[in-house]
Amino acid sequence: MALKVGDKVPHFTAKDTNGNLFDSTSILEKKPVVIYFYPKDDTRVCTEQACSFRDSYQEFTDLGAEVIGVSGDSTSSHQKFAQKHQLPFTLLSDHDKKLRNLFGVPTALFGLIPGRVTYVIDEKGIIKLIFDNLSGKIHIEKALQMVKKLV
């Protein structure tokens, strides 16, 4: 069942950009968190979205929030993607779709493409915003508006 606004995000783990095990308890319930799911590294819209989060990353951290990107790509793909575009935030590899299933991220375009959904989670681990839209750049604007409301 899909997580919805008002739900507490359950504990999860995944491999990060460097192949290390990321544990959600290291960040959830400590600060606001923006978790965005995107279809694929180094595709046009996904790159625009990642670079927009990169360009606004300082605004998020100034507000005390963290940004995490999630896709089904491998850690080595994430490493190349992050280095190529100088992404300052963590990317998580969800090759087994465990996180997509946990959050209930839908697929797009008749089930052909993994969905593009952004979650804004408050410092208590509660989902405050779910934004589902194929357009990449608008996710940053919506997430930043919500984080500003939280702090």
Side-chain angles (χ1 to χ4, degrees):
M1 199 159 105
L3 293 175
K4 55 192 179 309
V5 171
D7 286 351
K8 187 175 182 108
V9 176
H11 173 258
F12 65 86
T13 59
K15 293 281 185 179
D16 70 12
T17 316
N18 299 313
N20 299 318
L21 189 65
F22 172 88
D23 188 320
S24 64
T25 59
S26 69
I27 198 163
L28 288 178
E29 298 186 45
K30 293 182 168 66
K31 59 169 82 177
V33 180
V34 176
I35 298 177
Y36 80 97
F37 288 82
Y38 64 99
K40 186 141 184 61
D41 289 346
D42 253 336
T43 55
R44 186 182 61 78
V45 177
C46 295
T47 300
E48 286 174 2
Q49 183 181 25
C51 290
S52 293
F53 268 116
R54 175 201 65 205
D55 295 346
S56 297
Y57 185 67
Q58 189 65 49
E59 274 187 87
F60 284 102
T61 58
D62 286 350
L63 293 166
E66 190 51 67
V67 174
I68 298 171
V70 181
S71 82
D73 294 297
S74 67
T75 55
S76 62
S77 175
H78 280 342
Q79 284 176 346
K80 291 174 192 155
F81 185 53
Q83 287 170 355
K84 181 177 180 181
H85 299 288
Q86 298 157 354
L87 305 179
F89 47 85
T90 299
L91 298 176
L92 298 179
S93 177
D94 188 34
H95 62 90
D96 56 5
K97 296 184 175 77
K98 188 174 77 175
L99 295 181
R100 275 186 185 280
N101 292 333
L102 176 70
F103 279 79
V105 177
T107 54
L109 295 178
F110 311 107
L112 299 174
I113 298 173
R116 183 183 310 281
V117 182
T118 297
Y119 296 81
V120 178
I121 303 152
D122 72 10
E123 68 284 347
K124 294 181 182 122
I126 306 297
I127 297 172
K128 294 299 185 180
L129 173 76
I130 299 173
F131 186 71
D132 181 351
N133 191 296
L134 285 177
S135 170
K137 288 183 179 179
I138 195 166
H139 285 254
I140 292 80
E141 181 183 315
K142 295 287 188 186
L144 202 49
Q145 286 171 359
M146 180 53 74
V147 169
K148 286 178 180 176
K149 287 181 186 176
L150 295 177
V151 295

